[in-house]
Amino acid sequence: MHDTTSSEEQAVAEASVSPAVDGAQDQADRASTPEELWLTAKEQEAWRTFLYATTLLTDRFGEALQSDPEIGLALGEYEILVRLNEAEGGFLRMSELADKVVHSRSRLTHTITRMEKRGLVERVRCSSDGRGRQAQLTAEGQALLERAAPTHVRSVRDLLLDVIGHDDLLELGRILGRTIAEDAPIAVGCPAPHEDAPARS
């Protein structure tokens, strides 16, 4: 059966459809405005991708640490050990530590209490003025950090770095960096925990 539609008729039909299709595509790709409040469908999808991926990755990083019976750390506990290890003298005021690990004061208190029971940290009076409390990394905490670091870094590589690549990881950091304050405590403060370091007491 031969197509009896003339080239002129086909051109008219395409002309009547294309603008609507293009318009729908433009509408889908446009950026929302603060005045209208609501996200576009693609913006909503991007937001859900961010939320799903960050939640899933955080859970998996934590699982990598907790699934090893010789480590058994929550991701937040690991980060506390890292921050104390980076701090001069191996200690930080509780308020400063809470800011660095993005914990409320009450949440940090509960976490530190749990870690104290394992002998990983201890709370002592602030050495500078004797007022307030500071968290101090112990020798046991230092040793556990050294054991846990390779497992954690391997999970970061397997689940994120090796998936998106070096350049995209740096770009991701630059993008997310625009959402936090310029003085956010994210700078790397000291050598990796597996390198030679004096034991804490």
Side-chain angles (χ1 to χ4, degrees), residues 59-77:
D59 285 348
R60 288 182 174 176
F61 294 146
E63 286 172 5
L65 292 167
Q66 292 183 309
S67 63
D68 187 332
E70 294 188 2
I71 299 173
L73 286 171
L75 184 60
E77 293 171 336

Side-chain angles (χ1 to χ4, degrees), residues 74-131:
L75 184 60
E77 293 171 336
Y78 176 84
E79 180 65 9
I80 287 171
L81 294 180
V82 169
R83 295 296 186 150
L84 292 176
N85 180 65
E86 290 182 345
E88 184 176 357
F91 60 83
L92 287 168
R93 285 179 178 270
M94 291 288 286
S95 57
E96 184 179 0
L97 180 58
D99 291 340
K100 287 181 179 291
V101 297
V102 199
H103 279 20
S104 67
R105 303 297 191 269
S106 60
R107 179 184 174 192
L108 179 65
T109 297
H110 288 305
T111 304
I112 290 294
T113 298
R114 188 168 62 246
M115 296 175 73
E116 274 188 302
K117 291 178 180 177
R118 294 183 62 182
L120 305 177
V121 299
E122 59 182 352
R123 274 175 290 192
V124 297
R125 289 198 176 278
C126 291
S127 57
S128 58
D129 56 18
R131 294 179 298 176

Side-chain angles (χ1 to χ4, degrees), residues 173-194:
R174 284 191 289 269
I175 291 170
L176 294 178
R178 300 209 300 266
T179 71
I180 60 179
E182 290 185 4
D183 61 350
I186 58 173
V188 177
C190 77
H194 62 271

